[in-house]
Amino acid sequence: MGRKIAIVGAGAVGGYVGAHMVQAGEDVTFIDPWPEHVEHMRKYGLRVTHAMDVAEFSVPVRTLHITDAQQLAKEKPVDIAFVCMKSYDTAWATMLIEQYLAPDGYVVSLQNCMNEETIAGVVGWGKTLGCIASSITVNLPEPGHIHRGAGKGGAAHTVFRAGEVHGRITPRAEEVCRLVGYSDSAKVTENLWGERWSKLVANVMGNGLCACTGLPGGEILQSDPLRRFSTRLGSEAIRVGQARGYRLEEILHLPPETIARAGEGDEEAMRVCDEQRFKDSKRTSAQQRPSMGQDVQKGRRTEIEFLNGFVVREGEKLGLSCAANAVLTDIVKRVECGELRPDPRHITELRMN
């Protein structure tokens, strides 16, 4: 207690972890660019609900619009800043909060994708940490309301993995773990990059498919061609991560190599993958949409270039073809700009070698 915390981006993930910190008595200031969301939180607080087995709660919160962030100059400096913005907003969000950091303050990327390098470009590697939120399934359905499309992971699944970029266990990594641990199960990792790429693979398998088909995760899983394409996306991403030398962790409760082989046509691996994914689906609302699917519904820019597009670019550097990820990236970009409407046929009617 006593540390001043800033949550830059009070959307689904930032709002969820921040609300739990406030509930636990931590000193938290939310900073967000959505005026209606900020005003609702100021008047009514932040409400958190779950699809399964967890009672809802509301907490009063201190919230600043980004245009009000200058007020921080008159206050005690920020000790820990969690950047929870979309990947394309990482640089400016980090620059916004950097000037208000304490001398020993630091910034934590609590985001999808791999944004630590962007953050370090602003505050330096010595002030940069990462935290992965694995299978958290949260969304922001309306101003002031965070909804999680599942229960809590708890002992069955460690949701948060906090770590230093150099992999050593430090007091500040343990502090980040403690803070996110108010929300759900958490651990300190010595393998930030492997954890980060493993989460990237999971996102690569689901986010863009939801965005381009218009379907929620449960319906995608029920479709054989969509499920197979999802596995191929993951397989390509795993091969790139392995070639980069990352020590990959479990992905969707499966060994990475099993997903990789399944995407390459190994029938036994496909059977194992399908079995596990259907088992996991029982713990999540069938109507839950990953963040990119939510973005398309709201007419917002997606993170496709930072997920599937990133896999393609990194694969090219290594001489690895990622054809499925390249095709999906193109389709999602066309959906995003209104050239195409979301439709499962974008994938089910693909003809790929």
Side-chain angles (χ1 to χ4, degrees), residues 305-316:
E305 287 286 3
F306 296 84
L307 288 171
N308 304 78
F310 182 67
V311 169
V312 174
R313 295 192 300 275
E314 292 302 307
E316 288 173 350

Side-chain angles (χ1 to χ4, degrees), residues 94-111:
T94 307
M95 291 180 72
L96 175 75
I97 202 63
E98 183 269 341
Q99 59 195 312
Y100 306 116
L101 285 178
D104 61 347
Y106 52 90
V107 178
V108 183
S109 170
L110 183 54
Q111 304 166 277

Side-chain angles (χ1 to χ4, degrees), residues 177-199:
C177 180
R178 182 184 72 81
L179 290 169
V180 297
Y182 290 129
S183 305
D184 209 330
S185 50
K187 69 177 183 179
V188 177
T189 180
E190 296 175 302
N191 184 30
L192 178 66
W193 301 114
E195 292 273 18
R196 184 63 88 188
W197 193 272
S198 299
K199 172 64 188 294

Side-chain angles (χ1 to χ4, degrees), residues 182-324:
Y182 290 129
S183 305
D184 209 330
S185 50
K187 69 177 183 179
V188 177
T189 180
E190 296 175 302
N191 184 30
L192 178 66
W193 301 114
E195 292 273 18
R196 184 63 88 188
W197 193 272
S198 299
K199 172 64 188 294
L200 181 82
V201 173
N203 282 328
V204 156
M205 293 175 69
N207 266 272
L209 271 179
C210 184
C212 83
T213 63
L215 299 176
E219 291 183 36
I220 289 173
L221 193 62
Q222 294 297 328
S223 164
D224 285 347
L226 295 180
R227 195 172 64 253
R228 296 283 175 262
F229 192 77
S230 167
T231 305
R232 181 168 175 181
L233 294 168
S235 177
E236 291 178 355
I238 287 165
R239 294 305 186 210
V240 173
Q242 290 171 335
R244 290 196 59 169
Y246 294 131
R247 175 165 54 88
L248 300 183
E249 304 283 348
E250 269 195 350
I251 300 165
L252 304 178
H253 302 119
L254 287 159
E257 188 61 28
T258 301
I259 298 174
R261 292 201 312 271
E264 293 162 352
D266 183 303
E267 290 191 6
E268 174 60 16
M270 290 167 65
R271 184 193 66 76
V272 172
C273 277
D274 286 352
E275 184 178 289
Q276 184 62 49
R277 294 186 71 182
F278 280 115
K279 178 182 175 182
D280 286 348
S281 71
K282 296 174 183 176
R283 296 198 292 266
T284 302
S285 167
Q287 294 304 305
Q288 175 67 23
R289 296 173 189 268
S291 57
M292 205 179 294
Q294 298 170 40
D295 290 337
V296 168
Q297 280 189 320
K298 296 173 182 177
R300 298 181 57 182
R301 180 182 175 186
T302 74
E303 292 181 297
I304 193 68
E305 287 286 3
F306 296 84
L307 288 171
N308 304 78
F310 182 67
V311 169
V312 174
R313 295 192 300 275
E314 292 302 307
E316 288 173 350
K317 295 176 187 176
L318 298 161
L320 296 175
S321 173
C322 297

Side-chain angles (χ1 to χ4, degrees), residues 7-26:
I7 306 282
V8 187
V13 174
Y16 188 78
V17 297
H20 284 83
M21 290 181 202
V22 172
Q23 187 184 45
E26 300 288 348

